[in-house]
Amino acid sequence: MTQHHGGILIIDFGSQYTQLIARRVREAHVYCEIHPPSRSVEWIRQWQPKGIILSGGPNSVYGENVPTAEPALLEMGTPVLGVCYGMQLLAQLSGGKVVRADRREYGRAMVAVKGGKLFAGFGAGEETPVWMSHGDHVDTAPPGYHVTASSSNAPVAAIQHDSKPLYGVQFHPEVAHTPRGGEILHNFLFQVCGCTPDWTPGNFIDGEVERIRALVGSKRVICGLSGGVDSSVAAVLVHRAIGDQLTCIFVDHGLLRLHEREQVEQMFRRNYGIDLRVVDASADFLGDLAGVTDPETKRKRIGHRFIDVFEKEARKVGGDVGFLVQGTLYPDVIESMSPLGGPSVTIKTHHNVGGLPEKLPFKLIEPLRELFKDEVRQVGRELGLPEEMVGRHPFPGPGLAIRILGEVNKHQLDTLRKADHIYIEEIRAAGLYDDIWQAFAVLLPIRSVGVQGDERSYDQVVGLRAVTSRDGMTADWFPFPPEVLARVSNRIANEVDGVNRVVYDVSSKPPATIEWE
């Protein structure tokens, strides 16, 4: 992984908001990485952070076997900001006392600002709303510290060391519920740490292009292209670095949306002149799925077949292939090294069907592994990818197979493709596409009675799903204007044979997942 000395190091104590801290720092154009508490002070010294943020977490600092930090961390001279659990840890390591609060404080609170560097730009005595989430608090400021903010429930809501660059806040500046939290983080990044706002898409691309060229030399590189945002941006970035040493392989498994394959071919061949090999393996995939209704079996069969097809095609590229490009993103990387076996308990993300086998004799190039999804989109724009490509909703690796509940066959696929196409077309026409994280149609294995013309019909049901989300971890259903839903429903019932009923899914995640299967 490229080393960005001089960034911000975030130590993850398991807060659900740790990734949000990272995103806020990066939105300020400062590079940061999230690491587990197990990193030694020696390792941290070598990383040379400009500043360290200790995240929140679900534990009590005085509990048993809870994650902690070495006291030497506070003696390095590097600025430290403790958030919630991070502040309690800072206080405890500095000889302060952390006690269980009489009542757990969760939600909005008003704090009175007393001064200090974190609150530069705030008036003395000014009250500001913040988001609290803690069951413990610091009783009195530790030796050598003074209180810089307090609330009625937490007299010590923020602290600052008298002479060292050590700071703590008992609330979450990174969440939207703390309206001036951005200013507090900016004060830490720029006033206290002296960071430079140089983490930009342009700088990232330049650095990555240089790195890839040096790494690859004269070898050939292959990339599995799915037509999604991540693999497309990764392919175009690598192509910018090494030109025609790159070959992209696009496997058409027959489970794609309408015109998807043509769009990918046109964009990558015509617009970028990339060497693109398209493999039509739809007959094999459909053969594997015949008679299968269980979603897990569908995923497994598609995954195995994908690897076989990809491997065969990769071997045809020639003998000097040394590297394979994957569109791994930073949240996947964080998840695979979560602290202490993972206080941030996460439900495993569905890795794309691009999870390629270990036995392929190639080294991995993962040019996006330091980026969040919104950063990938910014890099795509900077590389000149068209907006309809960069702004695309996520699409699952197994494609429409997991949006047809029940058996997958050509007839069902054609039905769903038409319905889905109408749905997305109407969302775009209403100007709502970019307000939605993901929208798609689902074909249900139920028939219901309807009336079409003067006849009774006995046809299938299409479910519509649209959700808003920041990262796919939690999601709310999207409140469409009723007239948009009415238009979609009328068009699907009139234009798609075999469908006579349309329903809209109003479940949030949790308890429901975004996909139905």
Side-chain angles (χ1 to χ4, degrees):
M1 189 151 154
T2 41
Q3 187 59 287
H4 298 260
H5 291 309
I8 294 287
L9 186 61
I10 298 169
I11 308 284
D12 179 15
F13 291 100
S15 164
Q16 57 179 339
Y17 300 127
T18 302
Q19 285 196 28
L20 199 50
I21 299 176
R23 294 168 78 135
R24 292 284 176 262
V25 172
R26 290 183 177 201
E27 281 164 11
H29 302 299
V30 173
Y31 183 74
C32 63
E33 281 181 22
I34 295 174
H35 283 273
S38 51
R39 297 288 187 218
S40 67
V41 165
E42 197 35 56
W43 183 93
I44 292 171
R45 269 204 192 92
Q46 284 177 346
W47 202 84
Q48 298 174 0
K50 276 259 162 115
I52 298 168
I53 297 178
L54 309 176
S55 87
N59 299 289
S60 284
V61 287
Y62 48 75
E64 280 179 35
N65 300 323
V66 297
T68 183
E70 298 175 51
L73 188 71
L74 309 185
E75 303 303 325
M76 287 169 53
T78 306
V80 176
L81 171 62
V83 174
C84 277
Y85 180 84
M87 163 162 146
Q88 292 161 16
L89 193 58
L90 185 68
Q92 192 192 41
L93 293 174
S94 304
K97 193 165 161 44
V98 176
V99 295
R100 177 161 290 296
D102 296 336
R103 44 181 283 245
R104 189 178 155 71
E105 192 167 21
Y106 185 80
R108 286 179 77 92
M110 295 301 287
V111 303
V113 174
K114 297 184 183 331
K117 271 197 171 170
L118 288 183
F119 298 99
F122 287 71
E126 183 177 336
E127 295 229 321
T128 185
V130 299
W131 185 257
M132 293 279 192
S133 171
H134 62 99
D136 298 331
H137 65 211
V138 177
D139 208 14
T140 51
Y145 287 79
H146 56 279
V147 175
T148 54
S150 57
S151 78
S152 53
N153 247 3
V156 186
I159 53 174
Q160 176 178 333
H161 193 279
D162 300 337
S163 57
K164 298 176 189 163
L166 305 175
Y167 302 81
V169 290
Q170 183 56 77
F171 52 87
H172 287 279
E174 70 276 18
V175 302
H177 303 293
T178 301
R180 296 187 68 180
E183 289 172 62
I184 295 168
L185 285 174
H186 276 226
N187 284 337
F188 180 69
L189 297 175
F190 301 115
Q191 307 300 322
V192 175
C193 303
C195 291
T196 318
D198 55 7
W199 174 249
T200 61
N203 281 353
F204 168 78
I205 292 167
D206 295 344
E208 213 45 37
V209 161
E210 248 174 70
R211 187 182 75 84
I212 293 166
R213 274 184 196 147
L215 180 69
V216 169
S218 60
K219 287 258 199 290
R220 290 192 66 73
V221 176
I222 55 172
C223 172
L225 200 57
S226 71
V229 181
D230 307 339
S231 71
S232 301
V233 172
V236 173
L237 180 56
V238 172
H239 183 253
R240 175 170 289 194
I242 58 167
D244 53 15
Q245 286 167 254
L246 173 70
T247 297
C248 288
I249 297 170
F250 181 80
V251 177
D252 181 355
H253 48 28
L255 309 167
L256 299 166
R257 291 168 288 196
L258 204 60
H259 309 314
E260 195 149 18
R261 173 175 155 182
E262 296 76 26
Q263 284 163 358
V264 169
E265 287 189 82
Q266 179 176 351
M267 186 164 80
F268 287 91
R269 279 205 188 116
R270 206 175 289 170
N271 299 1
Y272 287 96
I274 287 178
D275 173 23
L276 175 65
R277 318 271 172 102
V278 175
V279 195
D280 185 348
S282 47
D284 294 336
F285 281 92
L286 284 180
D288 291 343
L289 291 170
V292 176
T293 54
D294 175 62
E296 231 10 70
T297 312
K298 284 180 191 175
R299 284 178 190 273
K300 282 206 178 83
R301 291 200 177 179
I302 293 167
H304 289 314
R305 175 65 68 180
F306 183 89
I307 286 165
D308 286 349
V309 173
F310 189 90
E311 222 174 320
K312 269 199 198 86
E313 203 55 33
R315 297 197 189 284
K316 289 184 198 165
V317 172
D320 59 344
V321 174
F323 297 89
L324 170 70
V325 177
Q326 293 222 114
T328 315
L329 301 194
Y330 196 41
D332 302 325
V333 176
I334 299 168
E335 199 158 289
S336 61
M337 59 161 224
S338 88
L340 314 168
S344 326
V345 185
T346 42
I347 297 166
K348 203 63 196 143
T349 43
H350 307 293
H351 284 296
N352 270 352
V353 186
L356 291 164
E358 311 301 288
K359 62 183 177 196
L360 280 175
F362 311 127
K363 293 198 181 90
L364 276 188
I365 295 182
E366 299 175 302
L368 311 178
R369 62 174 282 131
E370 297 171 349
L371 304 186
F372 289 104
K373 190 83 172 189
D374 42 356
E375 294 178 306
V376 174
R377 293 196 158 115
Q378 288 161 6
V379 166
R381 289 183 185 106
E382 187 86 9
L383 286 166
L385 278 157
E387 193 55 44
E388 65 268 20
M389 172 76 253
V390 175
R392 283 194 90 173
H393 293 174
F395 185 63
L400 300 180
I402 58 168
R403 293 178 177 172
I404 292 172
L405 276 57
E407 190 187 345
V408 178
N409 56 43
K410 185 152 183 351
H411 176 260
Q412 298 284 70
L413 281 162
D414 288 341
T415 303
L416 180 57
R417 262 191 267 276
K418 280 182 204 144
D420 191 73
H421 185 69
I422 290 169
Y423 183 32
I424 300 299
E425 204 169 61
E426 287 297 338
I427 288 175
R428 284 196 186 278
L432 299 172
Y433 188 84
D434 293 337
D435 299 340
I436 295 170
W437 165 267
Q438 204 173 3
F440 54 90
V442 183
L443 194 59
L444 306 182
I446 0 178
R447 292 186 179 276
S448 75
V449 174
V451 182
Q452 285 177 319
D454 296 328
E455 307 280 310
R456 276 165 74 84
S457 63
Y458 191 56
D459 282 335
Q460 284 189 273
V461 179
V462 162
L464 305 177
R465 181 90 163 120
V467 296
T468 55
S469 175
R470 264 206 71 135
D471 51 16
M473 287 295 183
T474 58
D476 286 321
W477 57 277
F478 181 75
F480 276 114
E483 61 275 15
V484 175
L485 283 177
R487 260 198 314 276
V488 174
S489 171
N490 284 340
R491 281 195 61 195
I492 290 176
N494 287 323
E495 297 172 37
V496 183
D497 285 343
V499 175
N500 66 359
R501 194 177 290 268
V502 176
V503 297
Y504 184 54
D505 176 354
V506 292
S507 326
S508 293
K509 171 188 180 180
T513 50
I514 294 179
E515 295 287 345
W516 277 44
E517 285 208 333

